[in-house]
Short mmCIF file of all heavy atoms in Angstrom, two decimals:
data_model
loop_
_atom_site.label_atom_id
_atom_site.label_comp_id
_atom_site.label_asym_id
_atom_site.label_seq_id
_atom_site.Cartn_x
_atom_site.Cartn_y
_atom_site.Cartn_z
N ALA A 1 105.04 1.66 244.99
CA ALA A 1 105.24 0.23 245.41
C ALA A 1 104.69 -0.77 244.51
O ALA A 1 105.37 -1.73 244.09
CB ALA A 1 104.68 0.00 246.81
N GLY A 2 103.48 -0.56 243.90
CA GLY A 2 102.91 -1.44 242.98
C GLY A 2 103.69 -1.56 241.73
O GLY A 2 103.95 -2.56 241.18
N SER A 3 104.24 -0.32 241.21
CA SER A 3 104.99 -0.32 240.06
C SER A 3 106.32 -1.01 240.21
O SER A 3 106.83 -1.76 239.31
CB SER A 3 105.15 1.15 239.58
OG SER A 3 105.89 1.24 238.39
N ILE A 4 107.01 -0.76 241.30
CA ILE A 4 108.30 -1.34 241.59
C ILE A 4 108.17 -2.83 241.64
O ILE A 4 108.97 -3.65 241.11
CB ILE A 4 108.91 -0.84 242.92
CG1 ILE A 4 109.27 0.67 242.71
CG2 ILE A 4 110.09 -1.68 243.29
CD1 ILE A 4 109.63 1.34 244.02
N CYS A 5 107.05 -3.32 242.21
CA CYS A 5 106.79 -4.78 242.31
C CYS A 5 106.58 -5.38 240.90
O CYS A 5 107.09 -6.41 240.53
CB CYS A 5 105.61 -5.10 243.11
SG CYS A 5 105.88 -4.92 244.88
N VAL A 6 105.87 -4.60 240.03
CA VAL A 6 105.68 -5.17 238.68
C VAL A 6 106.95 -5.32 237.94
O VAL A 6 107.21 -6.29 237.24
CB VAL A 6 104.71 -4.20 237.87
CG1 VAL A 6 104.75 -4.50 236.37
CG2 VAL A 6 103.28 -4.27 238.40
N TRP A 7 107.75 -4.26 237.99
CA TRP A 7 109.10 -4.34 237.19
C TRP A 7 110.06 -5.27 237.84
O TRP A 7 110.88 -5.93 237.22
CB TRP A 7 109.69 -2.90 237.19
CG TRP A 7 108.86 -2.01 236.22
CD1 TRP A 7 108.29 -0.87 236.49
CD2 TRP A 7 108.65 -2.30 234.78
NE1 TRP A 7 107.66 -0.39 235.39
CE2 TRP A 7 107.78 -1.27 234.34
CE3 TRP A 7 108.93 -3.36 233.94
CZ2 TRP A 7 107.39 -1.17 233.00
CZ3 TRP A 7 108.47 -3.32 232.62
CH2 TRP A 7 107.77 -2.16 232.25
N SER A 8 110.04 -5.42 239.19
CA SER A 8 110.85 -6.38 239.87
C SER A 8 110.48 -7.84 239.45
O SER A 8 111.35 -8.64 239.23
CB SER A 8 110.72 -6.38 241.37
OG SER A 8 111.19 -5.09 241.88
N ILE A 9 109.18 -8.10 239.32
CA ILE A 9 108.72 -9.45 238.78
C ILE A 9 109.22 -9.63 237.37
O ILE A 9 109.61 -10.73 236.96
CB ILE A 9 107.21 -9.52 238.84
CG1 ILE A 9 106.73 -9.63 240.39
CG2 ILE A 9 106.74 -10.71 238.03
CD1 ILE A 9 105.27 -9.54 240.54
N ALA A 10 109.17 -8.59 236.49
CA ALA A 10 109.75 -8.71 235.18
C ALA A 10 111.14 -9.04 235.12
O ALA A 10 111.52 -9.93 234.40
CB ALA A 10 109.50 -7.38 234.37
N GLY A 11 111.95 -8.51 236.03
CA GLY A 11 113.41 -8.84 236.09
C GLY A 11 113.53 -10.30 236.62
O GLY A 11 114.41 -11.03 236.14
N LEU A 12 112.72 -10.66 237.55
CA LEU A 12 112.80 -12.04 238.14
C LEU A 12 112.44 -13.08 237.09
O LEU A 12 112.97 -14.13 236.94
CB LEU A 12 111.93 -12.23 239.33
CG LEU A 12 111.91 -13.56 240.03
CD1 LEU A 12 113.32 -13.92 240.43
CD2 LEU A 12 110.98 -13.53 241.21
N THR A 13 111.40 -12.75 236.19
CA THR A 13 111.08 -13.62 235.08
C THR A 13 112.26 -13.90 234.17
O THR A 13 112.51 -15.01 233.75
CB THR A 13 109.91 -12.99 234.25
OG1 THR A 13 108.83 -12.86 235.15
CG2 THR A 13 109.50 -13.97 233.09
N VAL A 14 113.00 -12.78 233.83
CA VAL A 14 114.23 -12.86 232.99
C VAL A 14 115.16 -13.80 233.68
O VAL A 14 115.76 -14.72 233.03
CB VAL A 14 114.79 -11.47 232.71
CG1 VAL A 14 116.13 -11.67 231.90
CG2 VAL A 14 113.83 -10.72 231.85
N CYS A 15 115.41 -13.57 234.94
CA CYS A 15 116.40 -14.39 235.69
C CYS A 15 116.03 -15.87 235.70
O CYS A 15 116.87 -16.81 235.55
CB CYS A 15 116.46 -13.98 237.07
SG CYS A 15 117.26 -12.34 237.26
N CYS A 16 114.73 -16.20 235.87
CA CYS A 16 114.22 -17.59 235.86
C CYS A 16 114.48 -18.23 234.52
O CYS A 16 114.86 -19.46 234.46
CB CYS A 16 112.70 -17.60 236.15
SG CYS A 16 112.35 -17.25 237.91
N LEU A 17 114.25 -17.54 233.42
CA LEU A 17 114.49 -17.96 232.07
C LEU A 17 115.93 -18.28 231.87
O LEU A 17 116.36 -19.27 231.24
CB LEU A 17 113.98 -16.99 231.06
CG LEU A 17 112.38 -16.90 231.00
CD1 LEU A 17 112.02 -15.70 230.11
CD2 LEU A 17 111.81 -18.22 230.46
N ILE A 18 116.87 -17.40 232.38
CA ILE A 18 118.25 -17.57 232.26
C ILE A 18 118.73 -18.88 233.03
O ILE A 18 119.47 -19.63 232.47
CB ILE A 18 119.03 -16.37 232.90
CG1 ILE A 18 118.92 -15.20 231.87
CG2 ILE A 18 120.43 -16.72 233.14
CD1 ILE A 18 119.49 -13.88 232.40
N ALA A 19 118.15 -19.10 234.08
CA ALA A 19 118.50 -20.30 234.96
C ALA A 19 117.86 -21.54 234.23
O ALA A 19 118.51 -22.58 234.24
CB ALA A 19 117.88 -20.19 236.35
N ALA A 20 116.65 -21.42 233.76
CA ALA A 20 116.05 -22.54 233.07
C ALA A 20 116.79 -23.04 231.87
O ALA A 20 116.93 -24.26 231.69
CB ALA A 20 114.62 -22.16 232.60
N PHE A 21 117.29 -22.14 231.03
CA PHE A 21 117.99 -22.53 229.80
C PHE A 21 119.54 -22.58 229.98
O PHE A 21 120.22 -22.87 229.01
CB PHE A 21 117.70 -21.56 228.70
CG PHE A 21 116.27 -21.54 228.24
CD1 PHE A 21 115.46 -20.49 228.38
CD2 PHE A 21 115.74 -22.80 227.71
CE1 PHE A 21 114.13 -20.51 227.97
CE2 PHE A 21 114.37 -22.82 227.33
CZ PHE A 21 113.61 -21.63 227.48
N GLY A 22 119.97 -22.40 231.24
CA GLY A 22 121.42 -22.56 231.48
C GLY A 22 122.23 -21.45 230.70
O GLY A 22 123.43 -21.72 230.37
N VAL A 23 121.76 -20.32 230.62
CA VAL A 23 122.46 -19.21 229.99
C VAL A 23 123.44 -18.63 230.97
O VAL A 23 123.13 -18.39 232.16
CB VAL A 23 121.47 -18.07 229.58
CG1 VAL A 23 122.23 -16.99 228.92
CG2 VAL A 23 120.54 -18.64 228.50
N GLU A 24 124.71 -18.51 230.59
CA GLU A 24 125.85 -18.05 231.43
C GLU A 24 125.89 -16.63 231.60
O GLU A 24 126.83 -15.91 231.18
CB GLU A 24 127.16 -18.65 230.86
CG GLU A 24 127.19 -20.18 230.89
CD GLU A 24 128.51 -20.73 230.49
OE1 GLU A 24 129.39 -19.91 230.05
OE2 GLU A 24 128.79 -21.96 230.64
N VAL A 25 124.81 -16.06 232.20
CA VAL A 25 124.72 -14.68 232.57
C VAL A 25 124.29 -14.56 234.02
O VAL A 25 123.33 -15.32 234.36
CB VAL A 25 123.74 -13.90 231.64
CG1 VAL A 25 123.60 -12.52 232.11
CG2 VAL A 25 124.29 -13.90 230.18
N SER A 26 124.96 -13.76 234.84
CA SER A 26 124.58 -13.69 236.23
C SER A 26 123.23 -12.94 236.33
O SER A 26 122.85 -12.16 235.51
CB SER A 26 125.65 -12.98 237.08
OG SER A 26 125.68 -11.57 236.68
N TRP A 27 122.56 -13.15 237.52
CA TRP A 27 121.35 -12.41 237.77
C TRP A 27 121.47 -10.95 237.86
O TRP A 27 120.63 -10.19 237.47
CB TRP A 27 120.69 -12.98 239.00
CG TRP A 27 119.98 -14.29 238.82
CD1 TRP A 27 120.26 -15.28 237.86
CD2 TRP A 27 118.82 -14.84 239.56
NE1 TRP A 27 119.41 -16.33 237.98
CE2 TRP A 27 118.60 -16.10 239.03
CE3 TRP A 27 118.15 -14.38 240.60
CZ2 TRP A 27 117.53 -16.89 239.48
CZ3 TRP A 27 117.10 -15.11 241.11
CH2 TRP A 27 116.82 -16.42 240.55
N GLY A 28 122.63 -10.55 238.40
CA GLY A 28 122.99 -9.10 238.46
C GLY A 28 123.09 -8.55 237.12
O GLY A 28 122.53 -7.42 236.84
N GLN A 29 123.74 -9.25 236.22
CA GLN A 29 123.82 -8.71 234.80
C GLN A 29 122.35 -8.71 234.18
O GLN A 29 122.09 -7.85 233.40
CB GLN A 29 124.74 -9.61 234.09
CG GLN A 29 126.23 -9.54 234.49
CD GLN A 29 127.05 -10.55 233.85
OE1 GLN A 29 126.67 -11.67 233.50
NE2 GLN A 29 128.48 -10.21 233.71
N ALA A 30 121.64 -9.73 234.50
CA ALA A 30 120.27 -9.83 233.87
C ALA A 30 119.44 -8.59 234.37
O ALA A 30 118.71 -7.98 233.60
CB ALA A 30 119.58 -11.09 234.39
N TYR A 31 119.56 -8.21 235.58
CA TYR A 31 118.79 -7.04 236.14
C TYR A 31 119.32 -5.72 235.52
O TYR A 31 118.65 -4.73 235.48
CB TYR A 31 118.82 -6.99 237.67
CG TYR A 31 117.55 -7.72 238.30
CD1 TYR A 31 117.61 -8.97 238.71
CD2 TYR A 31 116.45 -7.00 238.41
CE1 TYR A 31 116.48 -9.57 239.27
CE2 TYR A 31 115.26 -7.47 238.96
CZ TYR A 31 115.33 -8.83 239.41
OH TYR A 31 114.20 -9.37 239.96
N ALA A 32 120.56 -5.82 235.15
CA ALA A 32 121.11 -4.59 234.48
C ALA A 32 120.69 -4.50 233.09
O ALA A 32 120.58 -3.44 232.51
CB ALA A 32 122.64 -4.61 234.58
N VAL A 33 120.29 -5.59 232.48
CA VAL A 33 119.82 -5.67 231.08
C VAL A 33 118.37 -5.39 230.82
O VAL A 33 117.96 -4.58 229.95
CB VAL A 33 120.28 -7.02 230.48
CG1 VAL A 33 119.53 -7.29 229.13
CG2 VAL A 33 121.80 -7.03 230.24
N PHE A 34 117.54 -6.06 231.61
CA PHE A 34 116.14 -6.09 231.24
C PHE A 34 115.42 -4.74 231.19
O PHE A 34 114.64 -4.46 230.25
CB PHE A 34 115.36 -7.05 232.20
CG PHE A 34 114.65 -6.43 233.36
CD1 PHE A 34 113.37 -5.89 233.27
CD2 PHE A 34 115.35 -6.33 234.62
CE1 PHE A 34 112.78 -5.24 234.26
CE2 PHE A 34 114.69 -5.76 235.66
CZ PHE A 34 113.45 -5.20 235.52
N PRO A 35 115.73 -3.72 232.09
CA PRO A 35 115.00 -2.45 232.02
C PRO A 35 115.38 -1.74 230.68
O PRO A 35 114.56 -1.10 230.11
CB PRO A 35 115.41 -1.67 233.25
CG PRO A 35 116.68 -2.36 233.68
CD PRO A 35 116.56 -3.76 233.30
N LEU A 36 116.66 -1.89 230.22
CA LEU A 36 117.04 -1.22 229.04
C LEU A 36 116.43 -1.90 227.79
O LEU A 36 115.99 -1.14 226.88
CB LEU A 36 118.54 -1.34 228.92
CG LEU A 36 119.38 -0.72 230.03
CD1 LEU A 36 120.84 -0.93 229.79
CD2 LEU A 36 118.98 0.72 230.33
N CYS A 37 116.20 -3.24 227.87
CA CYS A 37 115.52 -3.90 226.76
C CYS A 37 114.08 -3.52 226.78
O CYS A 37 113.46 -3.39 225.65
CB CYS A 37 115.70 -5.44 226.90
SG CYS A 37 117.44 -5.96 226.85
N VAL A 38 113.48 -3.39 227.91
CA VAL A 38 112.02 -2.94 227.87
C VAL A 38 111.92 -1.52 227.36
O VAL A 38 110.90 -1.27 226.68
CB VAL A 38 111.44 -3.03 229.34
CG1 VAL A 38 110.09 -2.42 229.48
CG2 VAL A 38 111.38 -4.45 229.87
N LEU A 39 112.86 -0.67 227.67
CA LEU A 39 112.78 0.67 227.20
C LEU A 39 112.89 0.67 225.68
O LEU A 39 112.24 1.43 224.98
CB LEU A 39 114.03 1.49 227.75
CG LEU A 39 113.83 1.96 229.21
CD1 LEU A 39 115.12 2.57 229.69
CD2 LEU A 39 112.65 2.93 229.40
N ALA A 40 113.80 -0.30 225.12
CA ALA A 40 113.89 -0.43 223.67
C ALA A 40 112.52 -0.82 223.08
O ALA A 40 112.16 -0.40 221.91
CB ALA A 40 114.89 -1.42 223.32
N GLY A 41 111.71 -1.59 223.83
CA GLY A 41 110.42 -2.05 223.33
C GLY A 41 109.38 -0.99 223.33
O GLY A 41 108.31 -1.10 222.72
N LEU A 42 109.74 0.22 224.00
CA LEU A 42 108.69 1.28 223.99
C LEU A 42 108.68 2.11 222.64
O LEU A 42 107.85 2.88 222.42
CB LEU A 42 109.04 2.25 225.14
CG LEU A 42 108.96 1.73 226.49
CD1 LEU A 42 109.35 2.83 227.51
CD2 LEU A 42 107.51 1.21 226.78
N VAL A 43 109.68 1.78 221.75
CA VAL A 43 109.67 2.46 220.43
C VAL A 43 108.35 2.08 219.78
O VAL A 43 108.04 0.88 219.54
CB VAL A 43 110.86 1.93 219.64
CG1 VAL A 43 110.77 2.57 218.25
CG2 VAL A 43 112.16 2.28 220.26
N PRO A 44 107.52 3.13 219.38
CA PRO A 44 106.20 2.78 218.85
C PRO A 44 106.19 2.33 217.34
O PRO A 44 105.49 2.95 216.56
CB PRO A 44 105.49 4.15 219.01
CG PRO A 44 106.57 5.18 218.88
CD PRO A 44 107.82 4.55 219.51
#
């Protein structure tokens, strides 16, 4: 539950930034994107 909340907040942060800058991407698309981008960031 704690881990799911952490990653859900990460996705919500991306959605807030999309709304703040007026980026024409839906929140559903944002939630589809952010975990894959975080996975890309795991490359050491």
